[in-house]
Amino acid sequence: MPDAVFAPSLPPDDPTVSVLGLGYVGLPLAIEFGKRFETRGFDIDASRVKELATGVDNTHEVEPSEIRQARQLTFTTELDDLKGSDVFVVAVPTPIDESKRPDLTALKTASRMVGQTLEPGAVVVFDLIVYPGATEEVCVPLVEQASGLRFNRDFFVGYSPERINPGDKSHRLTDVVKVTAGSTPETLEFVDSLYRRIVDAGTFPVANLRTAEAAKIIENTQRDLNIALVNEFAMIFDRLGVDTDAVLQAAGTKWNFLPFRPGLVGGHCIGVDPYYLTYKAEEAGHRTELILAGRRINDAMGDYVAGRVVRLMERHRITPPGSRILVLGLSFKENCPDIRNTKVIDLVAGLEAQGARVDVHDPWVDTTNAPNGIRVVGQPQPGSYDAIVVAVAHEVFRELGPEQIRAFGRFPSVVFDVKQLLPADAVDERL
């Protein structure tokens, strides 16, 4: 790493900040920065920017009052509006492609955009999820190429992995410790100080960018493997005729038993991040075994649940071909509208493969955002379905209660509870 002198164009205590990407991660960052510094929130989605400018967030992560509190925050789709910024925070999606390999398209585009507006002395912070090494190997060269500036001489780089949990009102950006890293010791000091001013829970500075990148990856990989383990427990106990939830509650009385539950594992993090780690591991010559085994289990859970539902119907002498099935929930998790990588789609596909007609009801999800091929109904009609599957643990479904949920069914009909949302004696089967 070449020697560098840290010399931002403005004093570190009063930078102008630009946030690129105004989704689940970028918007909360832009709001918190906008409470303290001049902040420009940038997104390529003009409708998203227009909506935010009116104080509305359709992800429901922030309230209109929170947007109004960010008095120094403006929203834009114009890249030129970011010129003169001292800090660029990149918070764009990092998904996987159809082959389950890292898709860095948005990240590469954002890196080039930063390079086009970057001025000497600026700091670029990547606040997202990538594999160890991606910031220096992928992002930095693109910024250098687009800007004509030299890394660690003319501009500096920080990394702080996002820890946003969509739909979680108890663990907000300001409530969760922020890991920070910098490309030089002086950059780390600057980045860490910057985040300490917006994160009440504090920061955890680490030695280098790769350590911070790796820390985030293993957070979600660990959760993925634990969920895969209890998903396999559920498969075993189903064959043994044992109630999985009852077993987990009993085991949970020991102080060091971890409280994971079986279910569909989707979303932008847990179902994606392990593939970033396995990709980089294989590139380095190590073939992962355990991580990919967990991923295979979790990726197959949609089909597995569909098979359980079909067998339940057959035991009650309900013929799956030609039947009507209602699936309650489409988002990847409870109490949020996020449908990224939702495994409910796999569940629906598995049921339709058996000849069933499947309707999906989710009051959290805008029907215009539903994936192609998913039949979304606004309000299910009582007495219309041969099977009802509770796929997502939305509080509104809990409030409906077992009687109203059963009322959607014909006679006879069955209720399968994926998320153990309802009492065991109120459903025909649970995962």
Side-chain angles (χ1 to χ4, degrees):
M1 184 179 292
D3 293 335
V5 176
F6 185 74
S9 56
L10 288 176
D13 61 348
D14 189 27
T16 297
V17 180
S18 285
V19 178
L20 287 80
L22 297 173
Y24 284 90
V25 176
L27 179 60
L29 283 167
I31 287 174
E32 293 305 321
F33 283 127
K35 293 176 182 178
R36 293 158 180 82
F37 315 114
E38 180 184 347
T39 303
R40 296 96 179 248
F42 172 86
D43 202 287
I44 61 173
D45 185 344
S47 62
R48 173 67 169 164
V49 169
K50 183 178 180 180
E51 164 195 277
L52 292 173
T54 65
V56 177
D57 170 32
N58 63 18
T59 70
H60 303 290
E61 286 301 299
V62 300
E63 300 296 330
S65 60
E66 295 178 270
I67 298 177
R68 290 194 297 269
Q69 289 170 15
R71 299 184 183 278
Q72 299 184 68
L73 171 62
T74 56
F75 299 105
T76 184
T77 59
E78 299 296 326
L79 198 58
D80 283 347
D81 291 340
L82 310 188
K83 290 182 177 179
S85 297
D86 306 295
V87 178
F88 293 83
V89 180
V90 179
V92 296
T94 50
I96 53 175
D97 61 21
E98 293 182 356
S99 301
K100 303 187 186 303
R101 296 169 66 84
D103 180 358
L104 301 180
T105 303
L107 180 57
K108 291 177 179 178
T109 299
S111 298
R112 294 187 186 99
M113 286 180 170
V114 169
Q116 292 168 26
T117 58
L118 195 68
E119 295 180 3
V123 176
V124 186
V125 183
F126 293 90
D127 197 307
L128 35 74
I129 305 171
V130 288
Y131 53 77
T135 301
E136 293 163 290
E137 296 167 6
V138 177
C139 304
V140 166
L142 293 173
V143 175
E144 284 188 315
Q145 182 181 23
S147 66
L149 301 177
R150 286 278 304 277
F151 174 49
N152 278 344
R153 186 191 70 184
D154 305 316
F155 72 93
F156 308 90
V157 169
Y159 182 84
S160 183
E162 61 96 346
R163 282 176 163 174
I164 297 295
N165 188 25
D168 187 343
K169 302 303 182 183
S170 299
H171 301 93
R172 310 293 297 276
L173 168 65
T174 58
D175 304 320
V176 181
V177 173
K178 207 80 165 72
V179 173
T180 57
S183 57
T184 68
E186 296 84 1
T187 308
L188 170 58
E189 182 178 348
F190 175 81
V191 172
D192 192 67
S193 174
L194 184 72
Y195 275 102
R196 281 203 310 269
R197 295 169 70 179
I198 68 167
V199 179
D200 296 335
T203 60
F204 188 91
V206 298
N208 51 58
L209 301 174
R210 292 187 178 218
T211 299
E213 292 165 330
K216 178 59 185 182
I217 287 290
I218 70 165
E219 285 176 28
N220 288 331
T221 301
Q222 182 187 66
R223 286 186 57 78
D224 191 45
L225 284 170
N226 277 295
I227 298 171
L229 180 62
V230 294
N231 275 337
E232 190 157 36
F233 287 161
M235 297 176 188
I236 295 169
F237 295 145
D238 174 52
R239 289 183 174 273
L240 298 178
V242 177
D243 184 272
T244 301
D245 187 57
V247 173
L248 293 175
Q249 287 189 41
T253 60
K254 189 179 180 186
W255 77 92
N256 60 353
F257 188 83
L258 301 177
F260 288 91
R261 290 291 182 269
L264 305 175
V265 185
H268 181 62
C269 292
I270 298 178
V272 172
D273 294 357
Y275 288 119
Y276 272 69
L277 184 57
T278 58
Y279 165 83
K280 193 61 178 178
E282 291 182 8
E283 189 178 76
H286 175 78
R287 173 164 178 77
T288 55
E289 301 288 347
L290 184 60
I291 296 172
L292 286 175
R295 278 282 77 230
R296 285 192 292 271
I297 290 173
N298 286 341
D299 275 345
M301 284 304 291
D303 281 338
Y304 173 75
V305 171
R308 288 272 299 267
V309 173
V310 167
R311 291 193 294 274
L312 175 64
M313 293 172 69
E314 291 172 340
R315 288 199 300 272
H316 285 75
R317 299 184 180 181
I318 302 171
T319 304
S323 65
R324 294 193 64 192
I325 299 176
L326 174 65
V327 173
L328 295 176
L330 178 58
S331 61
F332 88 87
K333 65 173 292 187
E334 65 276 6
N335 304 324
C336 84
D338 194 349
I339 61 172
R340 291 175 297 175
N341 195 34
T342 175
K343 295 304 178 183
V344 176
I345 295 174
D346 298 342
L347 166 61
V348 171
L351 294 171
E352 289 182 336
Q354 298 297 316
R357 174 188 169 95
V358 181
D359 290 344
V360 178
H361 171 63
D362 193 324
W364 274 92
V365 175
D366 184 343
T367 56
T368 60
N369 294 330
N372 291 335
I374 299 295
R375 186 182 298 104
V376 178
V377 295
Q379 182 57 49
Q381 293 300 309
S384 300
Y385 299 96
D386 301 290
I388 301 100
V389 182
V390 182
V392 182
H394 290 321
E395 189 60 31
V396 292
F397 297 152
R398 188 190 306 276
E399 292 171 355
L400 277 179
E403 289 187 7
Q404 289 192 60
I405 288 176
R406 275 203 176 276
F408 294 132
R410 299 168 173 164
F411 183 81
S413 61
V414 294
V415 176
F416 188 99
D417 187 359
V418 176
K419 296 298 293 183
Q420 303 88 39
L421 185 70
L422 306 175
D425 58 1
V427 300
D428 296 287
E429 197 168 311
R430 300 193 297 177
L431 183 60

